Amino acid sequence: MKTLKKILLGLIVFAAFMLAIFLTGRYGWKLGGFQACQGAGITSVEVSEKSVHITGFYPGSFPEGFCGCYSEERDGKLYVGFRFSAVFGFFEAGDFDITIPVQGDIKEVILKTSMNETVIWNAETEAISQSEY
């Protein structure tokens, strides 16, 4: 009976440990903010009064799964960053279709990574300048 309890306790601890690793890989990157974000291929950006709708894909050749996006709204600009992971490429594709709620009037949408910033939508041009960033 004691051996069965030890085995069961060991399995529960192992499952909790694996769950913690999985959740950290999936959502823990958001703690790093834009430092953990990667470039993405953007196919469309639609800006309305209350939200910004962005669709896109992972631009690399090896399939990586979409983990999520990180966004900040400052001075009429919406900064967005995306994260992909090879581990999650087995579970889902790198394609994404997200809607980000906004508070104010958005004049620019900027794709931000740890290394650079690229304007993907501007209120004056209302278009994407390139299909992949």
Side-chain angles (χ1 to χ4, degrees):
M1 189 70 162
K2 287 185 179 184
T3 307
L4 182 61
K5 284 184 181 180
K6 286 183 181 181
I7 291 172
L8 186 59
L9 181 63
L11 288 174
I12 290 172
V13 168
F14 178 73
F17 180 71
M18 293 305 289
L19 181 65
I21 289 174
F22 179 79
L23 291 175
T24 300
R26 180 71 177 188
Y27 302 107
W29 65 271
K30 288 189 177 187
L31 297 174
F34 289 112
Q35 295 298 326
C37 292
Q38 302 167 284
I42 305 298
T43 53
S44 72
V45 178
E46 300 169 8
V47 177
S48 67
E49 292 179 12
K50 296 183 180 185
S51 66
V52 175
H53 183 247
I54 303 172
T55 58
F57 58 94
Y58 175 72
S61 60
F62 185 76
E64 293 199 10
F66 176 67
C67 287
C69 83
Y70 184 80
S71 62
E72 286 183 13
E73 182 180 346
R74 286 183 268 156
D75 302 324
K77 297 178 182 178
L78 179 67
Y79 295 88
V80 295
F82 301 98
R83 181 71 178 167
F84 302 91
S85 173
V87 174
F88 301 108
F90 296 110
F91 301 115
E92 57 190 59
D95 297 338
F96 58 88
D97 185 356
I98 59 166
T99 302
I100 302 167
V102 294
Q103 302 295 321
D105 187 31
I106 300 298
K107 300 202 182 339
E108 280 186 334
V109 179
I110 300 169
L111 176 64
K112 185 172 182 175
T113 65
S114 61
M115 299 231 176
N116 60 10
E117 296 180 3
T118 306
V119 176
I120 58 174
W121 183 88
N122 188 320
E124 294 176 9
T125 60
E126 291 190 30
I128 301 173
S129 59
Q130 297 177 6
S131 64
E132 185 177 320
Y133 297 96

